[in-house]
Amino acid sequence: QVQLVEFGGGSVQAGSSLRLSCAASGFSFSNYNMAWFRQAPGKEREFVAGMRWIGSVTYYADSVKGRFTISGDNANFTLYLQMNSLKPEDTAVYYCAVRERTSASLSTPTLYNSWGQGTQVTVSS
């Protein structure tokens, strides 16, 4: 049973930083791809960052590239999203997601079938 729990959201001012955590259990990281998605009020859920554990291959949405960093800690079974230089448009509920390993783009949401409950990030001007 795959279980994902997000932590680290909060309300901050533009330019601040936050680090989100996704505590994972029930699967081997090397056999799966993991990603962060977000959903703002009135908008569709969108891809933020993803990781293929083997080789630590990562991919980022253009909107966060250079500001956000995805990483993982196998020993602690945790996925992280370091968010720097936050902007008001980053305001959203952030979700951790998992899918079976595939060559498909990390940004394609179709095959992600396990999700955390989400953590709220609010960035004010």
Side-chain angles (χ1 to χ4, degrees):
Q1 181 72 35
V2 174
Q3 295 183 331
L4 304 170
V5 180
E6 299 95 336
F7 298 93
S11 181
V12 299
Q13 293 185 339
S16 298
S17 297
L18 284 173
R19 192 186 197 191
L20 305 184
S21 300
C22 174
S25 63
F27 64 99
S28 174
F29 284 14
S30 64
N31 291 325
Y32 293 84
N33 303 144
M34 298 186 70
W36 289 95
F37 288 78
R38 66 187 182 186
Q39 187 166 23
K43 292 184 175 292
E44 296 181 353
R45 188 167 298 183
E46 65 175 347
F47 172 81
V48 176
M51 170 178 282
R52 304 183 193 276
W53 290 95
I54 298 177
S56 297
V57 177
T58 59
Y59 183 73
Y60 299 90
D62 288 341
S63 60
V64 307
K65 190 174 183 179
R67 298 188 297 121
F68 291 10
T69 302
I70 187 172
S71 62
D73 184 343
N74 280 336
N76 293 314
F77 311 105
T78 304
L79 183 74
Y80 300 103
L81 184 68
Q82 178 66 45
M83 305 185 295
N84 297 326
S85 301
L86 284 163
K87 304 175 180 180
E89 49 263 47
D90 294 319
T91 295
V93 176
Y94 284 71
Y95 299 90
C96 180
V98 176
R99 71 181 189 187
E100 293 182 352
R101 290 175 60 189
T102 174
S103 61
S105 172
L106 287 167
S107 64
T108 302
T110 306
L111 296 180
Y112 290 95
N113 54 14
S114 296
W115 301 82
Q117 85 289 350
T119 185
Q120 176 71 49
V121 172
T122 302
V123 185
S124 61
S125 300

